[in-house]
């Protein structure tokens, strides 16, 4: 069982992209490489927002610049399906795979078909938003600031891409977030950095390392001699890890330097 295709639409820099993952070339590790501002962070963040339920809310700035004017001028005639943020995963499976968790997403029992299509969608609740806007003077400012309160996130399974057209939307079937968690194990390991996440709320924008250090210093009184022993052990461990990194990642780093045209690259 493997993800064969990823489609993203209307999220930040990613207006409409498709990533095909070839079964014949499938590997245990897939690297996403690109220049700055090419959409790498947006790609990962969209997974983060959809998979970690309730962790990060979508907001006005998550929509591409090309759609923001249409959102600000939303009215009864606006097709919110065209404005929705979408992530579509196509997952292929074989007879050898356990179908325990994917069976809930299988819509066709035809033995010749061995894939499912899952749609993650963030859409504007137009009826609710327009009703609220009736009593608002500065509508644009209100939408920019409060759009997240009128966004709804849902998960669907569908058979054909034509099912996503307005006239055929009755064919798609809504699924619970729990079913997706059972099927796909999604975890994020964020880069080690001394800055707060740009996705955090204003009140949460505090450096975790600083807070934990302050708490430790307040609650613990440890002699400098004991700290010297700990630091020595850490330095010894770092030296050992550096040596193992060079051995284990040698082939990978060599290929990466050639591909990225870098003179030096290392794992730290």
């Amino acid at each position: 069982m493997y993800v064969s295709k990823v489609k993203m639409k209307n999220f930040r820099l990613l207006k409409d992209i498709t990533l095909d993952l070839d079964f014949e070339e499938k590997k245990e590790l897939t690297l996403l490489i690109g220049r700055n501002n090419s959409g790498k962070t947006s790609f990962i963040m969209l997974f983060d927002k959809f998979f970690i339920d309730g962790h990060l809310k979508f907001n006005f700035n998550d929509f591409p610049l090309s759609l923001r004017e249409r959102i600000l001028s939303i009215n009864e005639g606006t097709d919110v399906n065209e404005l929705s943020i979408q992530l579509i995963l196509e997952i292929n499976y074989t007879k050898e795979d356990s179908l325990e968790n994917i069976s809930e997403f299988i819509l066709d029992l035809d033995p010749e078909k061995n894939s499912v299509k899952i749609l993650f969608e963030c859409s504007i609740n137009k009826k609710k938003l327009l009703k609220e806007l009736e009593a608002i003077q500065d509508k644009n400012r209100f939408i920019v600031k409060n759009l997240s309160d009128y966004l709804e996130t849902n998960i669907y399974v569908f058979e054909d891409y034509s099912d996503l057209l307005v006239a055929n939307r009755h064919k798609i079937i809504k699924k619970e977030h729990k079913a997706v968690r059972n099927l796909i194990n999604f975890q994020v390991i964020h880069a080690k950095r001394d800055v707060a996440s740009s996705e955090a709320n204003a009140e949460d924008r505090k450096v975790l390392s600083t807070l934990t250090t302050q708490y430790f210093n307040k609650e613990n009184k440890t002699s400098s001699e004991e700290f010297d022993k700990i630091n020595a052990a850490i330095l010894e461990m770092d030296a050992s890890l550096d040596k193992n990194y060079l051995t284990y990642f040698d082939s990978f780093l060599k290929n990466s330097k050639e591909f990225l045209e870098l003179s030096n690259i290392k794992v730290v």
Side-chain angles (χ1 to χ4, degrees):
M1 189 181 306
Y2 69 102
V3 176
S4 58
K5 181 176 293 187
V6 179
K7 294 176 68 70
M8 294 182 174
K9 183 179 178 181
N10 296 338
F11 184 66
R12 300 183 184 178
L13 293 175
L14 309 176
K15 186 66 173 65
D16 191 358
I17 66 127
T18 299
L19 177 64
D20 289 303
L21 302 175
D22 190 349
F23 175 78
E24 297 300 327
E25 297 295 331
K26 69 175 183 177
K27 305 291 183 181
E28 292 183 357
L29 175 67
T30 298
L31 297 178
L32 187 64
I33 300 174
R35 296 183 180 277
N36 289 343
N37 296 318
S38 62
K40 302 188 302 298
T41 299
S42 296
F43 186 94
I44 299 301
M45 188 54 63
L46 187 55
F47 278 91
D48 207 354
K49 290 205 173 194
F50 274 129
F51 276 79
I52 305 180
D53 191 26
H55 174 56
L56 296 171
K57 284 187 176 182
F58 287 95
N59 57 64
F60 180 79
N61 293 320
D62 285 327
F63 291 85
L65 290 173
S66 59
L67 295 183
R68 293 180 189 178
E69 193 61 39
R70 292 178 61 186
I71 295 174
L72 292 174
S73 58
I74 190 170
N75 55 53
E76 291 290 351
T78 301
D79 183 358
V80 292
N81 288 316
E82 294 180 357
L83 304 178
S84 65
I85 297 173
Q86 296 181 345
L87 165 64
I88 296 175
L89 299 181
E90 288 192 27
I91 301 177
N92 284 23
Y93 57 90
T94 66
K95 296 179 181 179
E96 287 71 34
D97 291 320
S98 170
L99 304 183
E100 178 182 358
N101 293 321
I102 201 173
S103 60
E104 187 170 340
F105 298 90
I106 298 176
L107 301 180
D108 195 321
L109 297 180
D110 184 345
E112 297 301 317
K113 295 184 177 181
N114 65 337
S115 68
V116 299
K117 300 179 181 68
I118 304 174
L119 165 66
F120 301 80
E121 185 175 56
C122 173
S123 57
I124 301 172
N125 185 326
K126 183 174 68 174
K127 182 178 180 180
K128 180 181 177 183
L129 177 58
L130 290 179
K131 183 178 180 180
E132 192 74 27
L133 289 175
E134 291 177 358
I136 302 298
Q137 291 291 330
D138 191 342
K139 293 179 171 54
N140 286 4
R141 182 179 180 183
F142 180 86
I143 291 175
V144 171
K145 185 177 180 180
N146 301 289
L147 184 62
S148 58
D149 295 332
Y150 302 90
L151 296 177
E152 298 178 346
T153 301
N154 292 295
I155 303 172
Y156 305 94
V157 61
F158 64 98
E159 285 193 74
D160 190 86
Y161 283 95
S162 62
D163 295 343
L164 302 183
L165 299 175
V166 176
N168 300 328
R169 295 275 296 190
H170 63 280
K171 295 181 180 181
I172 65 178
I173 300 174
K174 190 174 181 178
K175 291 295 179 181
E176 296 296 326
H177 196 273
K178 179 180 178 181
V180 176
R181 287 202 304 267
N182 291 335
L183 176 64
I184 302 173
N185 180 17
F186 177 79
Q187 302 289 335
V188 177
I189 302 175
H190 291 285
K192 180 181 178 182
R193 58 181 66 179
D194 292 329
V195 296
S197 171
S198 59
E199 300 296 326
N201 296 325
E203 62 270 19
D204 295 330
R205 288 176 183 168
K206 298 178 181 178
V207 182
L208 180 59
S209 60
T210 301
L211 294 176
T212 52
T213 299
Q214 291 174 351
Y215 176 80
F216 179 83
N217 290 337
K218 179 181 178 181
E219 299 295 327
N220 293 272
K221 302 296 181 182
T222 307
S223 68
S224 58
E225 183 179 346
E226 291 175 318
F227 270 124
D228 288 341
K229 294 179 181 178
I230 295 174
N231 288 332
I234 292 175
L235 290 173
E236 184 178 348
M237 186 185 303
D238 282 344
S240 176
L241 286 174
D242 286 341
K243 182 178 180 180
N244 288 329
Y245 286 156
L246 289 174
T247 302
Y248 187 80
F249 290 102
D250 180 64
S251 177
F252 167 75
L253 293 176
K254 181 180 179 181
N255 292 334
S256 298
K257 283 191 289 187
E258 293 176 357
F259 181 80
L260 297 173
E261 298 181 352
L262 297 175
S263 60
N264 187 35
I265 184 173
K266 64 180 180 178
V267 177
V268 294

